[in-house]
Amino acid sequence: MAFFLSRVITPLALCLSLMVSVQADTSDAALTLVRTTVEALRTGLQAPLAEGQDATARATALVEQDVVPNMDLNYSGRLILGRHWNDADAAQRAEFIAAYRQMLLRTYSAHVLDYQDATVEYLSAVPLGNTAGRMTVRTRVMREGKGAASVDYRVIERDGQWKVFDAVIDGVSIVSTLRTAVDTEIGRVGLPALNAQLRTGKVALAP
Protein backbone atom coordinates (compact mmCIF):
# COMPACT_ATOMS: atom_id res chain seq x y z
CA MET A 1 0.00 0.00 0.00
CA ALA A 2 2.77 2.42 0.93
CA PHE A 3 4.58 1.60 -2.29
CA PHE A 4 1.40 2.25 -4.30
CA LEU A 5 0.81 5.57 -2.58
CA SER A 6 4.39 6.67 -3.19
CA ARG A 7 4.02 5.88 -6.90
CA VAL A 8 0.89 8.06 -7.04
CA ILE A 9 1.80 10.88 -4.68
CA THR A 10 5.36 11.48 -5.89
CA PRO A 11 4.38 12.29 -9.51
CA LEU A 12 1.43 14.34 -8.25
CA ALA A 13 3.68 16.37 -5.98
CA LEU A 14 6.10 16.88 -8.86
CA CYS A 15 3.30 18.11 -11.11
CA LEU A 16 2.07 20.52 -8.44
CA SER A 17 5.61 21.77 -7.93
CA LEU A 18 6.00 22.39 -11.65
CA MET A 19 2.65 24.19 -11.78
CA VAL A 20 3.68 26.50 -8.94
CA SER A 21 7.00 27.15 -10.67
CA VAL A 22 5.32 27.96 -14.01
CA GLN A 23 2.82 30.27 -12.28
CA ALA A 24 5.65 32.08 -10.50
CA ASP A 25 7.55 32.51 -13.77
CA THR A 26 4.36 33.79 -15.43
CA SER A 27 3.72 36.29 -12.64
CA ASP A 28 7.32 37.51 -12.77
CA ALA A 29 7.15 38.01 -16.55
CA ALA A 30 3.89 39.94 -16.38
CA LEU A 31 5.14 42.12 -13.53
CA THR A 32 8.43 42.72 -15.35
CA LEU A 33 6.58 43.93 -18.47
CA VAL A 34 4.71 46.60 -16.51
CA ARG A 35 7.71 47.66 -14.43
CA THR A 36 10.02 47.88 -17.46
CA THR A 37 7.49 49.86 -19.49
CA VAL A 38 6.61 52.35 -16.75
CA GLU A 39 10.21 52.89 -15.66
CA ALA A 40 11.44 53.38 -19.24
CA LEU A 41 8.76 56.02 -19.66
CA ARG A 42 9.63 57.70 -16.36
CA THR A 43 13.34 57.73 -17.18
CA GLY A 44 12.64 59.41 -20.50
CA LEU A 45 10.36 62.00 -18.90
CA GLN A 46 12.90 62.87 -16.20
CA ALA A 47 15.70 63.52 -18.67
CA PRO A 48 16.41 67.21 -19.40
CA LEU A 49 14.64 68.60 -22.44
CA ALA A 50 16.85 69.21 -25.44
CA GLU A 51 17.17 72.81 -26.60
CA GLY A 52 13.96 73.82 -28.32
CA GLN A 53 12.26 70.51 -27.48
CA ASP A 54 8.60 70.61 -26.50
CA ALA A 55 7.61 68.60 -23.40
CA THR A 56 4.34 67.39 -24.93
CA ALA A 57 6.01 66.35 -28.17
CA ARG A 58 8.63 64.42 -26.21
CA ALA A 59 5.92 62.76 -24.13
CA THR A 60 4.14 61.67 -27.30
CA ALA A 61 7.35 60.22 -28.73
CA LEU A 62 8.07 58.36 -25.48
CA VAL A 63 4.57 56.89 -25.33
CA GLU A 64 4.88 55.71 -28.93
CA GLN A 65 8.34 54.29 -28.27
CA ASP A 66 7.93 52.70 -24.83
CA VAL A 67 4.23 52.11 -24.27
CA VAL A 68 2.43 51.35 -27.54
CA PRO A 69 4.63 48.37 -28.53
CA ASN A 70 3.70 46.71 -25.22
CA MET A 71 -0.05 47.06 -25.77
CA ASP A 72 -2.46 44.73 -27.54
CA LEU A 73 -4.45 47.41 -29.31
CA ASN A 74 -6.32 44.92 -31.50
CA TYR A 75 -7.68 43.06 -28.49
CA SER A 76 -8.50 46.30 -26.65
CA GLY A 77 -10.25 47.65 -29.72
CA ARG A 78 -12.32 44.51 -30.10
CA LEU A 79 -13.38 44.67 -26.45
CA ILE A 80 -14.26 48.36 -26.77
CA LEU A 81 -16.34 47.85 -29.92
CA GLY A 82 -18.14 45.01 -28.17
CA ARG A 83 -21.23 43.92 -30.07
CA HIS A 84 -20.38 46.29 -32.92
CA TRP A 85 -17.24 44.29 -33.77
CA ASN A 86 -19.26 41.57 -35.51
CA ASP A 87 -21.31 44.14 -37.42
CA ALA A 88 -18.23 45.98 -38.73
CA ASP A 89 -16.33 44.86 -41.82
CA ALA A 90 -12.54 44.31 -41.82
CA ALA A 91 -11.82 47.82 -43.11
CA GLN A 92 -13.99 49.47 -40.43
CA ARG A 93 -12.34 47.39 -37.71
CA ALA A 94 -8.85 48.32 -38.89
CA GLU A 95 -9.87 51.98 -39.13
CA PHE A 96 -11.24 51.91 -35.58
CA ILE A 97 -8.03 50.35 -34.22
CA ALA A 98 -5.94 53.01 -35.98
CA ALA A 99 -8.19 55.82 -34.73
CA TYR A 100 -8.18 54.36 -31.22
CA ARG A 101 -4.37 54.30 -31.30
CA GLN A 102 -4.26 58.00 -32.21
CA MET A 103 -6.69 58.83 -29.44
CA LEU A 104 -4.55 56.96 -26.90
CA LEU A 105 -1.44 58.81 -28.04
CA ARG A 106 -3.16 62.16 -27.54
CA THR A 107 -4.60 61.16 -24.17
CA TYR A 108 -1.51 59.52 -22.70
CA SER A 109 0.74 62.29 -23.92
CA ALA A 110 -1.42 64.82 -22.08
CA HIS A 111 -1.46 62.90 -18.78
CA VAL A 112 1.76 60.91 -18.75
CA LEU A 113 3.69 63.80 -17.20
CA ASP A 114 1.83 62.93 -13.97
CA TYR A 115 4.20 59.96 -13.70
CA GLN A 116 7.30 62.12 -13.88
CA ASP A 117 7.55 62.85 -10.16
CA ALA A 118 5.37 60.02 -8.89
CA THR A 119 6.41 57.05 -6.78
CA VAL A 120 5.26 53.73 -8.23
CA GLU A 121 5.02 50.54 -6.20
CA TYR A 122 4.80 47.27 -8.14
CA LEU A 123 2.76 45.04 -5.86
CA SER A 124 1.89 41.71 -7.46
CA ALA A 125 0.70 39.85 -10.54
CA VAL A 126 -2.29 37.52 -10.15
CA PRO A 127 -4.36 35.45 -12.61
CA LEU A 128 -7.22 37.32 -14.26
CA GLY A 129 -10.30 35.10 -14.17
CA ASN A 130 -10.12 31.43 -15.09
CA THR A 131 -8.68 31.91 -18.58
CA ALA A 132 -5.02 30.98 -18.97
CA GLY A 133 -2.66 33.60 -20.32
CA ARG A 134 -4.21 36.63 -18.65
CA MET A 135 -2.97 38.40 -15.53
CA THR A 136 -3.64 41.50 -13.46
CA VAL A 137 -0.54 43.45 -12.45
CA ARG A 138 -1.27 45.56 -9.40
CA THR A 139 0.52 48.85 -8.77
CA ARG A 140 0.11 51.86 -6.52
CA VAL A 141 0.95 55.37 -7.72
CA MET A 142 1.67 58.12 -5.21
CA ARG A 143 2.11 61.80 -5.97
CA GLU A 144 3.00 64.53 -3.54
CA GLY A 145 -0.05 66.28 -2.17
CA LYS A 146 -2.44 63.68 -3.58
CA GLY A 147 -3.77 60.38 -2.33
CA ALA A 148 -2.41 57.08 -3.58
CA ALA A 149 -4.06 55.70 -6.71
CA SER A 150 -4.56 52.02 -7.41
CA VAL A 151 -3.58 51.25 -11.01
CA ASP A 152 -4.06 47.65 -12.14
CA TYR A 153 -2.84 46.62 -15.58
CA ARG A 154 -4.62 43.76 -17.31
CA VAL A 155 -2.22 41.86 -19.53
CA ILE A 156 -2.53 39.00 -22.01
CA GLU A 157 0.09 36.62 -23.37
CA ARG A 158 0.68 36.77 -27.11
CA ASP A 159 3.24 34.43 -28.67
CA GLY A 160 5.20 34.20 -25.45
CA GLN A 161 5.10 37.95 -24.75
CA TRP A 162 2.87 39.87 -22.39
CA LYS A 163 0.84 42.82 -23.67
CA VAL A 164 -1.33 45.32 -21.79
CA PHE A 165 -4.94 45.48 -22.96
CA ASP A 166 -6.62 47.43 -20.15
CA ALA A 167 -5.89 49.53 -17.08
CA VAL A 168 -8.15 49.77 -14.04
CA ILE A 169 -7.68 53.02 -12.12
CA ASP A 170 -9.18 53.06 -8.64
CA GLY A 171 -11.61 50.34 -9.73
CA VAL A 172 -12.60 51.96 -13.05
CA SER A 173 -11.70 50.04 -16.23
CA ILE A 174 -10.59 52.17 -19.18
CA VAL A 175 -11.85 49.56 -21.66
CA SER A 176 -15.27 49.33 -19.99
CA THR A 177 -15.57 53.12 -19.83
CA LEU A 178 -14.68 53.50 -23.49
CA ARG A 179 -17.00 50.64 -24.52
CA THR A 180 -19.94 52.49 -22.99
CA ALA A 181 -18.97 55.76 -24.67
CA VAL A 182 -18.33 54.10 -28.04
CA ASP A 183 -21.64 52.23 -27.94
CA THR A 184 -23.46 55.51 -27.32
CA GLU A 185 -21.64 57.32 -30.15
CA ILE A 186 -22.12 54.52 -32.66
CA GLY A 187 -25.83 54.52 -31.83
CA ARG A 188 -25.87 58.27 -32.45
CA VAL A 189 -23.67 58.74 -35.53
CA GLY A 190 -22.57 55.27 -36.71
CA LEU A 191 -19.12 53.67 -36.76
CA PRO A 192 -17.70 55.37 -39.91
CA ALA A 193 -18.49 58.83 -38.51
CA LEU A 194 -17.09 57.88 -35.10
CA ASN A 195 -13.85 56.68 -36.72
CA ALA A 196 -13.50 59.99 -38.53
CA GLN A 197 -14.12 61.95 -35.33
CA LEU A 198 -11.59 59.87 -33.38
CA ARG A 199 -8.93 60.41 -36.05
CA THR A 200 -9.30 64.16 -35.94
CA GLY A 201 -9.79 64.44 -32.19
CA LYS A 202 -13.25 65.96 -32.61
CA VAL A 203 -14.81 63.58 -30.12
CA ALA A 204 -13.58 63.15 -26.55
CA LEU A 205 -13.99 59.54 -25.44
CA ALA A 206 -10.85 59.38 -23.36
CA PRO A 207 -11.37 58.35 -19.73
Side-chain angles (χ1 to χ4, degrees):
M1 183 67 173
F3 175 69
F4 172 76
L5 287 175
S6 69
R7 292 188 63 183
V8 173
I9 293 174
T10 300
L12 179 60
L14 179 60
C15 287
L16 290 174
S17 173
L18 289 173
M19 288 174 63
V20 170
S21 176
V22 168
Q23 187 173 17
D25 290 345
T26 297
S27 298
D28 288 345
L31 193 62
T32 296
L33 164 76
V34 171
R35 180 188 291 112
T36 301
T37 301
V38 172
E39 292 306 318
L41 185 62
R42 280 160 46 79
T43 298
L45 290 171
Q46 290 169 357
L49 284 169
E51 185 176 352
Q53 186 179 27
D54 178 72
T56 302
R58 182 179 69 172
T60 301
L62 288 171
V63 169
E64 193 151 20
Q65 170 187 294
D66 297 321
V67 178
V68 172
N70 292 320
M71 298 181 68
D72 191 336
L73 294 179
N74 289 330
Y75 186 52
S76 296
R78 181 170 183 167
L79 292 176
I80 291 168
L81 275 183
R83 63 191 179 90
H84 302 289
W85 180 267
N86 291 331
D87 298 331
D89 59 32
Q92 289 174 330
R93 292 172 181 172
E95 188 176 4
F96 177 78
I97 299 299
Y100 167 57
R101 183 181 187 278
Q102 289 303 114
M103 185 195 73
L104 284 183
L105 277 175
R106 288 193 299 269
T107 304
Y108 288 172
S109 298
H111 296 285
V112 77
L113 292 175
D114 291 344
Y115 268 87
Q116 188 169 353
D117 299 316
T119 299
V120 182
E121 292 183 356
Y122 303 93
L123 304 176
S124 63
V126 297
L128 174 60
N130 297 320
T131 304
R134 295 199 293 182
M135 304 281 291
T136 296
V137 178
R138 295 171 174 165
T139 74
R140 183 184 295 114
V141 180
M142 290 158 289
R143 289 179 290 163
E144 188 174 354
K146 297 186 178 181
S150 168
V151 183
D152 297 339
Y153 297 91
R154 291 174 174 172
V155 300
I156 188 167
E157 190 175 16
R158 297 295 192 199
D159 300 323
Q161 292 187 328
W162 290 96
K163 302 283 186 179
V164 176
F165 70 89
D166 190 14
V168 182
I169 304 171
D170 286 336
V172 179
S173 161
I174 290 178
V175 163
S176 296
T177 301
L178 289 177
R179 182 166 58 235
T180 300
V182 163
D183 183 60
T184 299
E185 284 301 303
I186 290 177
R188 192 175 68 86
V189 301
L191 181 55
L194 173 62
N195 284 339
Q197 292 173 359
L198 287 175
R199 273 199 320 273
T200 58
K202 291 182 179 179
V203 61
L205 297 179

